Amino acid sequence: MRGFDRINAVLPDELILEIFRHVESKPSRDACSLVCKRWLSLERLSRDTIRIGASASPGNLVKLLSSRFPNIRYVFIDERLSVSLPVQCRKRRRHSRGSTSSGRFCHGSEQSVFGDDGMGTGCLSDSGLATVGDRFVKLEKLSLIWCSSITDVGLRSLAEKCKSLRSLDLQGCYIGDKGLAAVGECCNFLEKLNLRFCEGLTDTGLVKLAIGCGGTLKSLGVAACAKITDISFEAVGSHCRSLESLSLDSETIHNKGLLAMAKGCSALKVLKLQCLNITDDALQAVGIFCLSLESLALYSFQKFTDSRLSELALLYCQRIESDGLSEIGKGCKFLQALHLVDCSAIGDDSICSIARGIGDEALISIGQGCSLHHLNVSGCHQIGDAGIIAIARGCPQLSYLDVSVLQNLGDGALMELGEGCPSLKDVVISHCRQITDIGLNHLVRRCTLMESCHMVYCPGITEAGVATMVTTCTRIKKILVEKWKVSARTKRRAGSIINYLCVDL
Amino acid sequence: MVTTDEKGPLTAKKKSVIIRSCDGDEFLVSESAAVLSTSLKKILEEKEDRLIHLSDIDNKTLAMVIAYLSTHADDGLSDDLKRSFDQEFVSGKEFDVLKYLVLATDTLQVTCLCYTVAKKMADIMKNKLVEWVRREFDIQNDYTPEAEAEIRRLDAWAWDDRQLEDD
């Protein structure tokens, strides 16, 4: 290139800042600040995120960092993570040159400074939180994870300062109703709030928050808040009309609360529930009112019905009945991923119904097969060949299949999968005692895109089956199998991609 | 030499302008494409002259910017197609090419392309050593060894982000 060879001289500040804007990780940012003095000052101006760990004396660090980075908008303080950096000591040493009072911290071992922010602890205190509010007035996103020392007082002083806060994560903080009410009162742009494990909260706080800033709230997480009841979710239903995502883990919420929420929050897209006291009635309401729902995760449920799912995760739902799944099969034309783990009551009928229902829908509406891409039915003992064959015939785009621990699954199902699902990439057939080389051979002859296969504890699969897979599936990247089933020749061909669960098996 | 963009005869019928690079080569560009650059638009509004001379953009870089402008001026292309064109446009380009491109987009005030190129440069710079960055940008290290060591110490205030994921 002609004209210039020192591009730094012609690159305007704005361009460098624009590049920095896309450099997100701290190590890369640090590298930029080390390039030259000009880049250092630009980088300091443009840094918008800081993360602080527990033993880093957050209060002091906030002061230091706020003077260094004037435009911070995202602050993450996580007291579960401890950072012990020797540099902390050196930094203080440098810092203390002009201040004799802190000189005593410098002489001891490097560890001596940890946890010492003048408070005797490494936790963020209310005054530390107030500093965050004072110094970072442009704050938009704040995470205070398990900051056990902060109280309502600190939260209020922060809320009063940081009025443009959009996201607040208080996971595991022991804050109370007054603090949350202050957030509702002051933070009128709040969109995302995580209150998981805020055990000190009651309905009073959450109701005030909903009244205060419910209109803008899009995402809410509540877990292990024993004093939050249906009253809160009635308020959420009345005030949080834009809510798109709710994660709720509670033993104190009943149908009444969820029903009110569902009626009010019709924009809901993502719902994760782990609630012992919620039954089919409330979920039907979700199905009726929340027409935008894209993802529903249910944990520990008995019955459920819904109609516009794209992903469904049912983990360890021992009591789910086949009828419930049949309903989903009939209605869920958007279903793309299905995870059913250890749902031992689910039988062939319901799986047939899913495959049929989706297949029909798809044929009518888009003229190409079913949209199920992922299926995990690990440990669903009642599922046998008939159910999986229906999937094989109805879901040609299937790419991930976990049928491990299905005692009644035989070669017939594998043959049909080979015929019907040529896109299969990842297959887990471990602990399927009926499957033999015959089924496996059929599968791998057709499913040549296969990338990974887990097949330990399958007595019917031998050295020959493993060898065929290695030869046929040229894209295979990972095979999990017993070592004695791998011949010397196979090992030469594909030793690097074969993992042995246990050498002595 | 007059180089037409890929739609040559079609755009020639429309109003077009000639842009000359610092190498002296001339490019024929439809006015609808040229005005996507805020700088060119201003120039065209101010004077009747259909010949614009850009003294600090070379042939290779100018040709790339013009290809971008012409694609984005094409009403026949969907936004999706344009977006995938943008991705294609920067992928595989050398860092050296990108830094002159980003400079040209800044001179010509083509904001969208500027963002795309800056993003691509940032992606390449990810997890690179400071020595690499200095070399690629041809930047002289103006720190004393002591000053550099001090910055390194100051920067070590938090844990490595790469181990963490927000949300």
Side-chain angles (χ1 to χ4, degrees):
Chain A
M1 282 287 182
R2 66 222 75 183
F4 37 78
D5 54 4
R6 294 216 173 278
I7 192 152
N8 198 31
V10 288
L11 269 181
D13 288 353
E14 293 74 22
L15 266 186
I16 297 178
L17 290 173
E18 180 57 35
I19 295 170
F20 286 171
R21 202 167 66 84
H22 299 286
V23 177
E24 279 155 12
S25 76
K26 181 177 177 292
S28 302
R29 280 289 189 144
D30 289 346
C32 288
S33 68
L34 272 167
V35 165
C36 63
K37 289 176 185 166
R38 178 184 178 214
W39 280 40
L40 174 71
S41 58
L42 288 174
E43 198 284 318
R44 300 249 146 128
L45 280 178
S46 76
R47 187 151 336 182
D48 58 8
T49 306
I50 56 169
R51 297 173 191 274
I52 301 174
S55 52
S57 309
N60 275 354
L61 203 48
V62 161
K63 278 183 197 159
L64 258 169
L65 296 176
S66 62
S67 56
R68 203 179 298 162
F69 307 115
N71 293 314
I72 293 291
R73 286 180 293 134
Y74 312 116
V75 174
F76 301 86
I77 301 175
D78 189 336
E79 301 206 344
R80 290 169 309 176
L81 294 157
S82 65
V83 190
S84 35
L85 293 166
V87 294
Q88 190 65 20
C89 181
R90 296 203 188 92
K91 178 158 55 192
R92 278 158 183 262
R93 182 175 296 150
R94 188 196 73 94
H95 204 64
S96 64
R97 272 183 203 136
S99 104
T100 47
S101 62
S102 57
R104 64 192 172 91
F105 294 138
C106 310
H107 304 299
S109 70
E110 290 176 339
Q111 280 74 26
S112 68
V113 295
F114 300 133
D116 193 345
D117 62 349
M119 307 278 294
T121 71
C123 296
L124 185 75
S125 60
D126 277 343
S127 71
L129 192 56
T131 314
V132 171
D134 282 336
R135 301 292 187 102
F136 300 125
V137 284
K138 296 171 187 169
L139 205 62
E140 287 177 23
K141 195 169 179 179
L142 176 64
S143 291
L144 303 168
I145 314 285
W146 296 94
C147 293
S148 46
S149 298
I150 58 166
T151 71
D152 288 344
V153 180
L155 195 56
R156 170 166 279 280
S157 57
L158 176 103
E160 283 170 352
K161 292 280 165 47
C162 302
K163 303 218 167 181
S164 48
L165 207 61
R166 289 177 196 280
S167 168
L168 180 62
D169 190 340
L170 295 169
Q171 184 180 322
C173 295
Y174 203 81
I175 46 112
D177 295 331
K178 284 178 185 164
L180 199 60
V183 170
E185 194 183 301
C186 304
C187 305
N188 294 319
F189 300 100
L190 199 68
E191 290 176 6
K192 205 172 168 188
L193 180 64
N194 186 2
L195 302 172
R196 293 173 69 82
F197 307 103
C198 294
E199 292 169 9
L201 285 176
T202 76
D203 287 331
T204 317
L206 194 49
V207 169
K208 279 189 178 159
L209 178 107
I211 295 171
C213 65
T216 53
L217 208 62
K218 286 187 179 160
S219 169
L220 177 64
V222 175
C225 304
K227 291 173 216 151
I228 290 200
T229 71
D230 290 342
I231 296 169
S232 284
F233 282 87
E234 283 168 348
V236 167
S238 330
H239 299 283
C240 307
R241 299 283 174 163
S242 322
L243 199 69
E244 290 176 4
S245 172
L246 174 66
S247 168
L248 179 59
D249 177 352
S250 164
E251 293 178 10
T252 45
I253 304 288
H254 297 79
N255 280 359
K256 194 181 161 201
L258 198 71
L259 203 78
M261 187 282 301
K263 275 186 185 166
C265 307
S266 55
L268 207 66
K269 287 182 184 162
V270 178
L271 181 61
K272 293 177 185 169
L273 293 174
Q274 181 156 8
C275 305
L276 288 177
N277 295 311
I278 283 177
T279 70
D280 208 29
D281 289 347
L283 286 173
Q284 268 173 2
V286 170
I288 294 166
F289 296 109
C290 305
L291 296 177
S292 311
L293 202 68
E294 289 168 3
S295 173
L296 173 65
L298 308 171
Y299 306 90
S300 316
F301 270 81
Q302 289 181 298
K303 287 191 171 185
F304 56 87
T305 310
D306 195 72
S307 63
R308 277 187 66 136
L309 296 170
S310 66
E311 180 163 6
L312 176 62
L314 303 168
L315 310 178
Y316 312 106
C317 303
Q318 302 281 357
R319 285 180 294 180
I320 272 180
E321 290 170 21
S322 289
D323 291 350
L325 274 183
S326 306
E327 291 299 317
I328 285 182
K330 282 175 198 157
C332 300
K333 55 184 173 183
F334 300 103
L335 200 66
Q336 288 201 351
L338 182 59
H339 309 271
L340 304 170
V341 177
D342 267 353
C343 299
S344 50
I346 294 171
D348 282 344
D349 289 351
S350 50
I351 292 292
C352 290
S353 165
I354 285 172
R356 261 205 314 273
I358 290 172
D360 285 345
E361 279 290 349
L363 279 174
I364 295 160
S365 57
I366 42 173
Q368 60 186 48
C370 148
S371 54
L372 203 63
H373 294 199
H374 288 239
L375 179 66
N376 182 349
V377 289
S378 174
C380 302
H381 297 297
Q382 300 205 19
I383 293 175
D385 284 351
I388 298 300
I389 288 172
I391 289 289
R393 290 179 182 168
C395 307
Q397 297 194 49
L398 200 67
S399 75
Y400 174 93
L401 178 68
D402 187 341
V403 289
S404 55
V405 209
L406 299 193
Q407 300 302 327
N408 300 319
L409 196 68
D411 291 333
L414 254 58
M415 291 179 188
E416 290 274 349
L417 283 167
E419 296 291 326
C421 309
S423 311
L424 267 176
K425 281 187 180 157
D426 304 291
V427 177
V428 186
I429 52 173
S430 296
H431 298 273
C432 291
R433 310 194 69 83
Q434 309 277 333
I435 290 176
T436 74
D437 283 351
I438 302 169
L440 188 68
N441 286 352
H442 273 90
L443 183 74
V444 299
R445 294 244 179 265
R446 298 296 182 124
C447 302
T448 47
L449 299 175
M450 195 96 81
E451 291 179 0
S452 83
C453 184
H454 292 208
M455 45 186 182
V456 285
Y457 298 105
C458 301
I461 291 177
T462 71
E463 197 177 277
V466 178
T468 312
M469 170 167 274
V470 168
T471 340
T472 320
C473 302
T474 49
R475 299 191 183 191
I476 201 96
K477 288 181 189 133
K478 190 183 173 195
I479 297 176
L480 190 65
V481 72
E482 291 89 341
K483 189 170 189 177
W484 59 267
K485 287 184 183 173
V486 182
S487 68
R489 186 166 173 272
T490 305
K491 202 171 177 181
R492 275 199 305 278
R493 293 183 71 117
S496 63
I497 58 161
I498 297 182
N499 294 355
Y500 312 108
L501 182 67
C502 176
V503 176
D504 298 325
L505 277 175
Chain B
M1 182 189 87
V2 173
T3 317
T4 57
D5 57 41
E6 65 257 54
K7 294 194 299 162
L10 190 73
T11 42
K13 281 178 208 157
K14 294 183 190 168
K15 257 183 152 179
S16 52
V17 290
I18 296 166
I19 302 177
R20 186 189 290 157
S21 74
C22 67
D23 304 313
D25 287 359
E26 291 175 358
F27 295 79
L28 188 66
V29 188
S30 74
E31 192 174 303
S32 61
V35 295
L36 293 179
S37 147
T38 313
S39 312
L40 294 179
K41 190 175 175 204
K42 274 184 201 150
I43 298 173
L44 289 171
E45 279 165 359
E46 279 163 17
K47 57 175 193 173
E48 285 297 299
D49 198 353
R50 297 282 109 183
L51 175 71
I52 299 171
H53 182 63
L54 298 171
S55 59
D56 48 9
I57 302 178
D58 64 283
N59 265 346
K60 195 174 152 192
T61 309
L62 186 58
M64 283 188 280
V65 178
I66 289 172
Y68 174 90
L69 293 177
S70 304
T71 307
H72 278 257
D74 189 340
D75 296 329
L77 297 177
S78 69
D79 287 350
D80 272 349
L81 271 172
K82 284 175 188 173
R83 265 191 292 276
S84 58
F85 169 84
D86 289 0
Q87 288 315 307
E88 198 67 21
F89 190 74
V90 289
S91 77
K93 282 199 170 40
E94 299 276 322
F95 196 79
D96 201 47
V97 173
L98 291 172
K99 68 190 186 195
Y100 290 100
L101 193 56
V102 81
L103 206 53
T105 61
D106 187 61
T107 312
L108 293 171
Q109 292 177 271
V110 189
T111 323
C112 280
L113 182 56
C114 183
Y115 289 168
T116 312
V117 177
K119 167 104 175 58
K120 177 70 187 173
M121 292 171 81
D123 287 346
I124 298 176
M125 285 160 65
K126 234 166 244 171
N127 302 324
K128 291 284 196 294
L129 289 171
V130 58
E131 288 75 18
W132 184 94
V133 182
R134 278 189 199 129
R135 195 170 57 242
E136 285 297 318
F137 278 94
D138 199 9
I139 291 172
Q140 193 76 44
N141 180 9
D142 56 1
Y143 290 118
T144 61
E146 295 77 29
E148 184 172 334
E150 182 61 20
I151 307 272
R152 278 185 197 272
R153 276 200 295 273
L154 286 175
D155 277 342
W157 51 266
W159 64 85
D160 189 342
D161 275 0
R162 280 172 296 186
Q163 297 161 1
L164 290 171
E165 286 268 302
D166 176 32
D167 285 336

